Amino acid sequence: MESKRQQKFAGVIQEELAAIFQREGSAYLPNTLVTITKVRVSPDLAVAKVYLSF
């Protein structure tokens, strides 16, 4: 089970990546919808796994 700190950090990463994909994603993946489905963060906040859906 993730701690509150991990959940908050994952939420921030998800929001920031969503903004980046929305702003710059069309240059790399034209006519493609990219969705960030989940972000998992390790207990020490050193590693984040980002799950994408195309």
Side-chain angles (χ1 to χ4, degrees):
M1 181 168 198
E2 292 184 330
S3 69
K4 282 284 195 191
R5 186 174 183 198
Q6 286 172 282
Q7 291 173 356
K8 284 184 180 181
F9 196 69
V12 170
I13 290 173
Q14 185 170 3
E15 289 176 13
E16 291 296 322
L17 285 175
I20 291 169
F21 277 114
Q22 199 170 31
R23 188 174 59 243
E24 300 174 16
S26 61
Y28 299 106
L29 300 165
N31 300 323
T32 303
L33 177 67
V34 179
T35 305
I36 301 169
T37 58
K38 188 185 325 181
V39 177
R40 298 278 185 189
V41 181
S42 65
D44 63 353
L45 307 179
V47 177
K49 291 184 181 180
V50 179
Y51 297 88
L52 303 175
S53 176
F54 295 93

